[in-house]
Amino acid sequence: QIQAECQRSGLSQDKEQFEQQTQEIETECAHLVEEISSLKRELIEARKEKRQQEEYQAMLSMIERYPSRQETRRRIEKLQGEIQQYEAECQSLEEQKAHRNKQIQVVLSDTQELIAVLENKPRPA
């Protein structure tokens, strides 16, 4: 009887220890599930940051292929100066052309008058 009592008492203690260990394991599992969830969120955020960094580097590489604004402005100003120079040269050439056309008209007119005078001049007999 005492032996049976001891066995029941020992079983009761084993049962309590088992339930306590089960509770500890369940608490630890819940904590681990929470930690895994948190780590998954961190991983997603880290991947997002990495992707953004890669996109930034790609855009930076593309931007660096082009000259700076200062260099672009300098080149534009230089080209505008060249355009103005060519426009002035073109205007000068147009004026020369108009002047030469007038000179040709005068020469043609004089030539026609000379031809008319020569045709009307009596020929010596």
Side-chain angles (χ1 to χ4, degrees), residues 36 53 60 103 109 120:
I36 288 171
Q53 184 66 25
L60 186 61
Q103 288 177 335
S109 176
N120 290 333

Side-chain angles (χ1 to χ4, degrees), residues 1 21 28 51 82 89-91 99 114:
Q1 207 181 16
Q21 287 176 347
E28 190 176 334
R51 187 182 71 247
E82 288 177 11
E89 188 177 326
C90 184
Q91 180 66 30
H99 180 70
L114 184 59

Side-chain angles (χ1 to χ4, degrees), residues 24-72:
E24 288 173 3
I25 290 172
E26 287 175 356
T27 302
E28 190 176 334
C29 282
H31 175 71
L32 290 173
V33 166
E34 224 176 90
E35 190 175 342
I36 288 171
S37 178
S38 174
L39 290 172
K40 281 182 181 179
R41 286 191 299 272
E42 287 179 26
L43 178 63
I44 290 169
E45 187 63 30
R47 285 179 177 165
K48 179 181 175 183
E49 287 177 18
K50 182 180 178 185
R51 187 182 71 247
Q52 288 174 342
Q53 184 66 25
E54 289 171 350
E55 289 173 1
Y56 173 80
Q57 289 298 328
M59 287 183 355
L60 186 61
S61 295
M62 198 178 345
I63 290 169
E64 287 177 344
R65 288 188 223 159
Y66 298 100
S68 67
R69 283 187 182 182
Q70 184 179 11
E71 176 65 20
T72 301

